[in-house]
Amino acid sequence: MRIVLLGAPGAGKGTQAKMLIEKYQIPQISTGDILRKAVADGTPLGKEAKVIMDKGELVPDKIVLGLVDERVKQDDCKKGFILDGFPRNTVQAEALDKLLNDIKMPLDSALSVDVPRDDLMKRLTGRRTCKSCQQMYNVYYSPPKKEGACDKCGGELFQRDDDKEETIKKRLDVYDAQTAPLIDYYNKKGIVKSVLGKGSIDEIFKQVCNILEGK
Ligand code: AMP
């Protein structure tokens, strides 16, 4: 199963990806996570990326393409993978097609998780992550029992620098202008499947699995 997850920031792609990994035992490739790790590790790439990420803009295609190229060629991707947050524009989508055709592993599905914009704002501004175990919370929808602390491990919760209101607006605008057109791009290839990303996470996941399995 080789899938691209499409959907605006905050649509719940990461959450669904984590559940898909468990169920289908295939890796998630999140370019956002890879970049955030490079930022946390303080690598030259991370330093370059942080400035761009904090503004809510896209990191240059060449950088993310290099990261994805390297990642999909690793052994654990032979049985499939879930691309989350990549591709973000047509240049990346075309490069991905070429890369996957070259290694004879074309995409099966482009799954679009659709959520109205008002909901996205609340989801993103309310998002908090545990510094220790990466467990996610939302101060509006799924707050931790004790403010600022992780229910699971007691770790400190933080807000991503790019989840501040101004940056979020910018990220959503970038999504509308550059990433949303990819739904059309994959539609032309006949591989788009859509799910409404509202309601309980488990219910959405059930629909996602049914759609992917062609039920
Ligand atoms: P995400 O967690 O996927 O929302 O990504 C966070 C930030 O990382 C984005 O706002 C971009 O600055 C950068 N980023 C992640 N994936 C990509 C990509 N495929 N192309 C360019 N920039 C990306």
Side-chain angles (χ1 to χ4, degrees), residues 31-32 35-36 53 57-59 64 85-86 88 92 160 162 171:
T31 41
L35 289 167
R36 275 184 290 279
M53 290 166 79
E57 291 168 4
L58 293 184
V59 171
V64 278
F86 179 94
R88 284 287 233 277
Q92 293 181 11
R160 277 167 45 176
D162 60 351
R171 286 167 65 208

Side-chain angles (χ1 to χ4, degrees), residues 27 70-81 105:
E70 196 180 301
R71 185 65 188 87
V72 292
K73 288 177 180 164
Q74 286 171 19
D75 269 356
D76 62 338
C77 290
K78 289 214 170 88
K79 55 188 174 177
F81 50 79
M105 300 202 311

